[in-house]
Amino acid sequence: EPEVTQTPSHQVTQMGQEVILRCVPISNHLYFYWYRQILGQKVEFLVSFYNNEISEKSEIFDDQFSVERPDGSNFTLKIRSTKLEDSAMYFCASSDRNYGYTFGSGTRLTVV
Amino acid sequence: EDQVTQSPEALRLQEGESSSLNCSYTVSGLRGLFWYRQDPGKGPEFLFTLYSAGEEKEKERLKATLTKKESFLHITAPKPEDSATYLCAVHAPNQFYFGTGTSLTVIP
């Protein structure tokens, strides 16, 4: 069964550093998403991406965040100048819009 | 203001004891309502998408229904392997809202 692959599974970074979270969506999917889940809290939408541009974003997705599809297979989330409160599980998802969204297993980001 | 509210927060069932989980929402311009299953430390696993009031979908022991204000996830004769957190999510214009989930425990 096709999977969404996320790397790394766990990332520890110093406060103020930049991190890049990587995702390989399902190959024939055209819509891509990033979500985050702070420990013990609900899943929060960050951004959706289609046709090489952001289609929707939440209030959380401010100038600190950016997304990119640098090649035909990868989809990345960059977080600049990380803060302690950015610590969370970050989930990538992809969709072909004819079925549901497939989520990756997540990257646990710890900012220290 | 919460856009999506799930109840109950936690539910313990005996194996074979059927029940329903509720997801109520207050968004306008609903584009879709999603049900997911999430196991600890893992990403949400897609179960169903519902688009319009009156729609129903089934998968094994699960059945999802949708009205204009809420959705129900019915679990028939649950098994211990159905134990998980069940998340409801609503797609509205320019936003996706997740509920906090219902933690289901099925006791053998």
Side-chain angles (χ1 to χ4, degrees):
Chain A
E1 186 171 333
E3 290 183 341
V4 173
T5 304
Q6 289 188 244
T7 55
S9 57
H10 190 191
Q11 173 92 45
V12 181
T13 189
Q14 293 274 344
M15 189 169 55
Q17 295 297 305
E18 175 182 287
V19 295
I20 297 177
L21 310 183
R22 292 182 165 80
C23 169
V24 179
I26 293 174
S27 61
N28 63 342
H29 284 184
L30 301 176
Y31 301 84
F32 314 114
Y33 311 85
W34 283 101
Y35 295 81
R36 79 175 184 189
Q37 187 173 30
I38 297 171
L39 185 64
Q41 298 186 22
K42 63 176 69 175
V43 177
E44 300 173 294
F45 168 72
L46 294 178
V47 66
S48 61
F49 191 87
Y50 171 71
N51 199 27
N52 286 320
E53 61 182 22
I54 292 172
S55 48
E56 293 173 313
K57 62 181 182 178
S58 71
E59 293 178 352
I60 302 169
F61 194 87
D62 59 19
D63 292 343
Q64 184 192 8
F65 296 89
S66 62
V67 290
E68 189 178 31
R69 188 155 165 81
D71 54 43
S73 60
N74 290 285
F75 179 52
T76 61
L77 174 68
K78 181 188 290 185
I79 309 175
R80 288 179 282 274
S81 189
T82 50
K83 300 174 284 201
L84 295 177
E85 52 264 40
D86 294 327
S87 295
M89 282 288 286
Y90 287 82
F91 294 107
C92 172
S94 70
S95 167
D96 64 1
R97 282 293 168 96
N98 291 321
Y99 196 58
Y101 298 75
T102 301
F103 280 78
S105 56
T107 293
R108 181 175 299 282
L109 176 65
T110 303
V111 182
V112 297
Chain B
E1 180 184 353
D2 287 339
Q3 302 289 338
V4 179
T5 304
Q6 290 188 246
S7 61
E9 290 186 10
L11 181 63
R12 289 172 64 89
L13 299 174
Q14 291 289 334
E15 183 172 2
E17 180 187 1
S18 301
S19 188
S20 294
L21 313 182
N22 177 263
C23 171
S24 62
Y25 61 93
T26 57
V27 298
S28 58
L30 180 72
R31 293 183 177 178
L33 185 141
F34 304 89
W35 281 99
Y36 294 91
R37 168 191 172 127
Q38 187 174 29
D39 293 296
K42 296 187 177 181
E45 175 189 343
F46 170 77
L47 296 174
F48 303 107
T49 307
L50 302 167
Y51 292 103
S52 57
E55 190 174 357
E56 298 183 354
K57 289 191 176 174
E58 286 189 66
K59 179 181 178 181
E60 296 179 353
R61 294 179 293 281
L62 301 176
K63 178 180 176 181
T65 62
L66 181 65
T67 72
K68 289 186 178 180
K69 294 182 178 181
E70 59 191 348
S71 176
F72 291 94
L73 183 67
H74 307 277
I75 303 177
T76 302
K79 299 181 178 181
E81 54 261 41
D82 294 324
S83 296
T85 296
Y86 290 83
L87 301 174
C88 167
V90 167
H91 184 196
N94 299 317
Q95 190 57 275
F96 290 78
Y97 300 98
F98 273 83
T100 51
T102 293
S103 176
L104 173 66
T105 303
V106 182
I107 304 163

